[in-house]
Amino acid sequence: QVQLVESGGGLVQPGGSLRLSCEVSGFDLEGRSVGWFRRASGVEREGIACIGSDGKTYYVESFRDRVTISRDNGKNTAYLEIKSLKPEDTANYYCALSGFCYSDYRNFDSWGQGTQVTVSS
């Protein structure tokens, strides 16, 4: 069974940074793309970034200057670094797998349960 577990969320002050992790078990991450998404109160699910099986990265333009996506196939883990956090970034952050870095989140599968990020002073 494929399982994804996000971690690294928590309470952070505005302007701070976080590094989120997505650990995959039950499946070889190599050969799969990993996407990061978020869902905030009152806002539809948003795509943030995706990294392909070849390591090529894709960013939603509104996040490009503040996030970095990476992967470590040896650890079966993908990462999302977020900086310059603001209260509007408060959301549950999810990772998911896909065959390719699709632009539509509905093409991703094997979703994790998410990790909560709360930005507050």
Side-chain angles (χ1 to χ4, degrees), residues 48-99:
I48 302 171
C50 184
I51 184 166
S53 60
D54 59 355
K56 187 174 182 180
T57 57
Y58 303 84
Y59 295 96
V60 175
E61 190 62 30
S62 61
F63 295 101
R64 184 178 299 276
D65 294 338
R66 298 196 296 127
V67 305
T68 301
I69 189 170
S70 60
R71 64 190 293 159
D72 186 335
N73 291 339
K75 296 181 179 179
N76 239 31
T77 302
Y79 306 93
L80 183 73
E81 296 178 78
I82 316 172
K83 62 181 181 181
S84 301
L85 286 161
K86 53 186 179 180
E88 292 76 26
D89 291 320
T90 296
N92 203 15
Y93 286 72
Y94 302 87
C95 62
L97 303 181
S98 65

Side-chain angles (χ1 to χ4, degrees), residues 4-46:
L4 285 71
V5 179
E6 300 95 337
S7 62
L11 178 63
V12 62
Q13 294 183 338
S17 301
L18 285 175
R19 185 174 187 245
L20 309 180
S21 298
C22 173
E23 185 174 1
V24 179
S25 61
F27 196 85
D28 187 1
L29 189 60
E30 184 177 7
R32 298 281 284 174
S33 299
V34 183
W36 280 96
F37 308 82
R38 75 180 187 185
R39 179 70 171 89
S41 179
V43 182
E44 295 296 321
R45 191 192 307 264
E46 298 178 280

